[in-house]
Amino acid sequence: MSSSSTFRAPAGAATVFSADQKIRLGRLDALRSSHSVFLGRYGRRGVSSPPSASSPIKAVSTPAKTETATKRSKVEIIKEKSNFIRYPLNEELLTEAPNVNESAVQLIKFHGSYQQYNREERGGRSYSFMLRTKNPSGKVPNQLYLTMDDLADEFGIGTLRLTTRQTFQLHGVLKQNLKTVMSSIIKNMGSTLGACGDLNRNVLAPAAPYVKKDYLFAQETADNIAALLSPQSGFYYDMWVDGEQFMTAESPEVVKARNDNSHGTNFVDSPEPIYGTQFLPRKFKVAVTVPTDNSVDLLTNDIGVVVVSDENGEPQGFNIYVGGGMGRTHRMESTFARLAEPIGYVPKEDILYAVKAIVVTQREHGRRDDRKYSRMKYLISSWGIEKFRDVVEQYYGKKFEPSRDLPEWEFKSYLGWHEQGDGAWFCGLHVDSGRVGGIMKKTLREVIEKYKIDVRITPNQNIVLCDIKTEWKRPITTVLAQAGLLQPEFVDPLNQTAMACPAFPLCPLAITEAERGIPSILKRVRAMFEKVGLEYDESVVIRVTGCPNGCARPYMAELGLVGDGPNSYQVWLGGTPNQMAIARSFMDKVKVHDLEKVFEPLFYHWKHERQTKESFGEYTTRMGFEKLKELIDTYKGVSQ
């Protein structure tokens, strides 16, 4: 390995130096972080305040280079001084102000909340908080669903939002009600811990409750990865339930993998053995699935994990993919959306150790100076997959095996009725942009409460009702349809695959509309389809976001609209229906009222020039953007 990729034990690990240096350094004083010395990326050091002679060294790493001063982002300093994500949030929550200060804004993200205000109100800001839950595999117990439904009415804006990462978002919670809402979620089988912030977010897995070995194993693995990477220092429970613990029992393999430090991964004697005081450089996303099922947008994640089974259907191990991510910044080509790529295969008993090794590599080497470049995709893009694999293998303690061959992927929505495999049924329901409100919310509540149904949220912002007896199917179908929750044959195919982020009025990053704008956009696309002669059951994957951060994963769409100005979108083309190819930027600053001028010529020529079974995304890629722009410029309209 080159000197530039020298393996380093983590800051705070009990690290053995070379023979002529026979010393051990390290110990992290967990609670007094105001004088901590952070020996940072690549052996550089940033000091929050000068340590006195008696101050213990709080974190030590094996330097790869001569120490030089390094810049750290403001958020890194906030984390370091926070006493493990407590201060000053704990004090800010006690003030009479309707909002919290900037440091607390950053910290409350780790607790699963964002501070927001209504950007359309004039004459001052009315602050509120959005809460996001943590639901590995999208699993929502009956009790938690009913609790979230109640909280939305009593403390929110009367709606629930199903997210693209299989969680709930609850908007409009006032600061004075935060503790009541948080504690209610915790006491009713839920959590918001780590749903936001610089750590592992919700772990995706197929929402379908199939009683099949591979699906069950994928969901179990998602649960275990979520537990492995969950914060351990207690800050969440200290803040919201006065330190009372409501954690479910962890599997022994999770505890063993977390505590294992045989390859220098852990912070010794720290309340956060994996994260330390600094946690990760940025958000971190993981998805688990089974072969063929790309309901999870596998390659958009920092880590994608795929169950590999033998010919008898017994899970044997996992293919692992690394380095995906959607966020970017307009007119800054050094930021980009990226697909994950294969790093190799591991046997099933090693998955937690391999995931931990990847996370630690990002923790130690990901950039902490400029948050635009802090995701793991930039580290892998800079290093290349070979060097990244070499460093991960040092922390893993083994070599990755070659990836196993897998069949073709497809997007699975799980809409409609399906047999689970145990005599019961599940029913997938389409929810436009994941917004549950009005008569739909009321009816869902009645059905879920009456039949004591557990539910799951899909990565496409839809909901799955689980464990339904055959005799319940007809009455449930009837009452749901009366509330607009229709079976898939009655939902426009364009709507079934479309997604949008919330954007205005509450998202502080939104540049233009997304959730509120997509209904009319889809209707206009349907009208264009009819005009050029496309059939009703032909479809295009359309995703809309109000800014380039990509929450609705627009860069995987066949037709992505990314807000780049008031009532204006950047158009992306070239994704595929199975979400395994990334789109490219086609045209900037397309005003919303001009969409027909761009889309109609493309749909017309796709209709008349496509190859057999060629999707819209595949067609636009084959034709090339220069040719497509020529077709737009020379389009004369539909010939009669």
Side-chain angles (χ1 to χ4, degrees), residues 117-189:
Y117 65 92
N118 189 330
R119 295 172 61 189
E120 295 176 337
E121 287 186 1
R122 297 293 177 259
R125 294 182 176 183
S126 55
Y127 286 99
S128 66
F129 291 79
M130 179 271 282
L131 274 60
R132 183 185 295 154
T133 59
K134 199 91 169 278
N135 308 87
S137 307
K139 294 179 181 177
V140 182
N142 178 269
Q143 179 180 339
L144 178 59
Y145 185 93
L146 299 178
T147 298
M148 296 301 297
D149 184 81
D150 287 338
L151 292 173
D153 289 341
E154 188 172 355
F155 298 105
I157 59 173
T159 67
L160 286 170
R161 186 64 153 58
L162 313 177
T163 79
T164 58
R165 291 202 72 79
Q166 298 184 273
T167 67
F168 288 115
Q169 284 183 179
L170 181 63
H171 292 90
V173 179
L174 299 180
K175 183 178 125 178
Q176 67 201 46
N177 296 325
L178 272 174
K179 190 165 184 176
T180 299
V181 175
M182 288 283 204
S183 62
S184 296
I185 292 170
I186 294 167
K187 293 174 181 178
N188 286 280
M189 306 174 70

Side-chain angles (χ1 to χ4, degrees), residues 25 34 147 436 462:
L25 296 175
S34 61
T147 298
V436 180
N462 296 322

Side-chain angles (χ1 to χ4, degrees), residues 358-405:
I358 294 167
V359 170
V360 169
T361 300
Q362 162 67 354
R363 182 194 74 198
E364 290 299 299
H365 297 280
R367 286 181 61 172
R368 293 181 184 263
D369 60 330
D370 188 336
R371 290 175 66 81
K372 288 194 300 293
Y373 306 106
S374 292
R375 290 289 299 276
M376 194 171 77
K377 64 182 177 181
Y378 295 111
L379 177 63
I380 296 176
S381 181
S382 171
W383 278 8
I385 191 64
E386 297 300 330
K387 176 178 174 179
F388 184 81
R389 183 187 292 112
D390 286 344
V391 175
V392 171
E393 286 173 345
Q394 296 292 329
Y395 290 119
Y396 175 34
K398 297 181 181 181
K399 294 285 188 183
F400 286 97
E401 298 177 33
S403 297
R404 304 301 196 251
D405 291 336

Side-chain angles (χ1 to χ4, degrees), residues 507-529:
C507 178
L509 303 176
I511 303 169
T512 193
E513 298 286 1
E515 179 184 340
R516 296 192 307 195
I518 196 172
S520 65
I521 290 172
L522 293 176
K523 288 176 183 175
R524 290 163 65 188
V525 170
R526 173 55 63 198
M528 285 182 257
F529 268 37

